Amino acid sequence: MGAQVRVYKRRIRSVSSTKKITKAMEMIAASRIVKAQRQVAASTPYARELTRAVAAVATGSNTRHPLTTEAENPTRAAVLLITSDRGLAGGYSSNAIKAADRLTERLRAQGKEVDTYVVGRKGVAYYGFRDRKVVQSWTGFTDRPSYSDAKAVAGPLIEAVLKDTAEGGVDELHIVFTEFVSMITQTPVDKRLLPLSLDEVEDRGAGGLETAEKKEPQVLPLYDFEPSSEDVLDALLPRYVESRIYNALLQSSASEHAARRRAMKSATDNAEELIKSLTRLANQARQADITQEISEIVGGASALADASAGSD
């Protein structure tokens, strides 16, 4: 039985080491969530005012522009999927991938071809393993994205929107990311970035984010455009797409850290339960070992007593 006790003790040491790692990862994720939330809050005013400016230009001019004009017969759409670079975050990436698959199926049911763009190694690995075509991918910054990362992602997407569909361009641009609702809830969502819906501008205040409270519809200001409204829209198009993608990256980052914190806390709790169970089994094995040794001693003493009595 001594060998069994050693096995239990070795497993307890192994699980204890794992518990230390998961606890450290939980604390790191918790600290990063706060920073990601602050970045989301800091990006909100810029996104809100930029969206209002785009809406004002769109309502104040009759210019046909990819930013605000619906295609008569849209035949091609681009889908940007945001996942994580690292694992150990529960179902964070898989839920976003499932949402992207549902969006792709819905667009194809409408008769549209879909070009897929992916952010994050998990999404790239998913599509690569299934031999699905990805137009372009980006990795290495999902846990701490910067505005320069958003610009790098937005560049090819804007080019695709401005191109004619016959030359590989797209009529619509959609994004799939995980919206940070709270420390407990993170929801994968899909939103259409282009063309911009003016109804969405009235309902959403920060580049696609739900406003904290319902407000009365506001009258957009009147602008004079120089040199023209089309040039203004050309200038606003990259800023608008970049700000929306940046906000989605920040929300996805906060969601990733929250999901990882929850997963690591669950792993830590499971490790504690396993340590308790193994400790209990080790104690039982040690008690059984002691009981067996006592029985052997008593049995040996009885045998010696019987042998002495027989010799007499």
Side-chain angles (χ1 to χ4, degrees):
M1 294 296 290
Q4 189 172 2
V5 173
R6 288 195 295 272
V7 170
Y8 285 135
K9 288 185 176 180
R10 185 164 58 247
R11 290 189 62 188
I12 289 172
R13 288 195 297 270
S14 176
V15 176
S16 297
S17 298
T18 302
K19 176 187 170 183
K20 291 179 181 178
I21 295 172
T22 56
K23 185 65 177 179
M25 294 183 68
E26 176 189 348
M27 296 176 66
I28 291 172
S31 65
R32 290 181 176 177
I33 292 172
V34 177
K35 183 177 180 181
Q37 286 180 294
R38 290 174 180 171
Q39 288 180 314
V40 172
S43 68
T44 297
Y46 175 77
R48 179 186 298 116
E49 293 305 319
L50 181 59
T51 304
R52 291 186 75 245
V54 171
V57 176
T59 55
S61 67
N62 296 322
T63 303
R64 294 182 61 84
H65 194 275
L67 182 59
T68 57
T69 305
E70 297 271 358
E72 294 182 0
N73 294 305
T75 59
R76 199 177 191 91
V79 174
L80 173 64
L81 168 63
I82 300 178
T83 62
S84 66
D85 286 320
R86 298 185 296 130
L88 301 177
Y92 165 76
S93 292
S94 61
N95 290 337
I97 291 171
K98 290 176 183 177
D101 286 342
R102 290 193 295 268
L103 173 61
T104 300
E105 291 176 2
R106 188 165 70 245
L107 293 173
R108 287 174 177 168
Q110 297 171 1
K112 301 171 186 175
E113 297 182 29
V114 178
D115 291 343
T116 303
Y117 298 78
V118 180
V119 173
R121 291 190 178 93
K122 290 298 179 180
V124 173
Y126 175 86
Y127 282 89
F129 181 77
R130 288 158 181 78
D131 199 24
R132 297 185 185 178
K133 182 181 178 182
V134 174
V135 178
Q136 193 164 344
S137 62
W138 300 266
T139 60
F141 54 81
T142 58
D143 57 342
R144 284 180 286 185
S146 64
Y147 195 82
S148 61
D149 297 322
K151 290 183 67 175
V153 174
L157 295 171
I158 295 172
E159 291 180 7
V161 170
L162 296 177
K163 282 184 182 178
D164 189 86
T165 53
E167 300 175 355
V170 297
D171 299 309
E172 297 177 355
L173 172 58
H174 299 258
I175 183 171
V176 179
F177 65 99
T178 305
E179 189 173 41
F180 183 84
V181 180
S182 67
M183 296 288 285
I184 304 300
T185 306
Q186 300 85 43
T187 307
V189 295
D190 63 86
K191 301 181 185 295
R192 193 183 73 173
L193 297 189
L194 296 175
L196 174 65
S197 172
L198 297 183
D199 293 335
E200 180 185 12
V201 175
E202 294 179 0
D203 296 336
R204 301 176 185 271
L209 295 177
E210 295 287 354
T211 54
E213 58 184 14
K214 290 291 183 180
K215 296 181 179 180
E216 294 296 328
Q218 297 181 1
V219 178
L220 295 174
L222 296 177
Y223 291 99
D224 290 329
F225 308 116
E226 275 192 29
S228 66
S229 58
E230 184 175 1
D231 291 331
V232 173
L233 287 173
D234 286 339
L236 289 177
L237 174 60
R239 304 291 180 270
Y240 169 75
V241 175
E242 290 165 8
S243 67
R244 292 288 296 269
I245 291 177
Y246 182 51
N247 192 275
L249 288 172
L250 292 177
Q251 290 221 42
S252 296
S253 175
S255 299
E256 177 185 349
H257 295 315
R260 182 169 292 112
R261 174 184 175 275
R262 189 168 60 251
M264 292 300 98
K265 186 179 187 307
S266 177
T268 302
D269 294 342
N270 291 338
E272 290 178 352
E273 291 297 324
L274 185 55
I275 289 172
K276 291 179 182 178
S277 177
L278 291 172
T279 301
R280 186 163 51 249
L281 291 174
N283 291 337
Q284 291 174 355
R286 185 167 56 253
Q287 291 171 359
D289 193 9
I290 294 171
T291 302
Q292 182 177 353
E293 290 178 358
I294 293 174
S295 298
E296 290 174 352
I297 292 172
V298 172
S302 298
L304 288 174
D306 293 341
S308 298
S311 61
D312 292 340

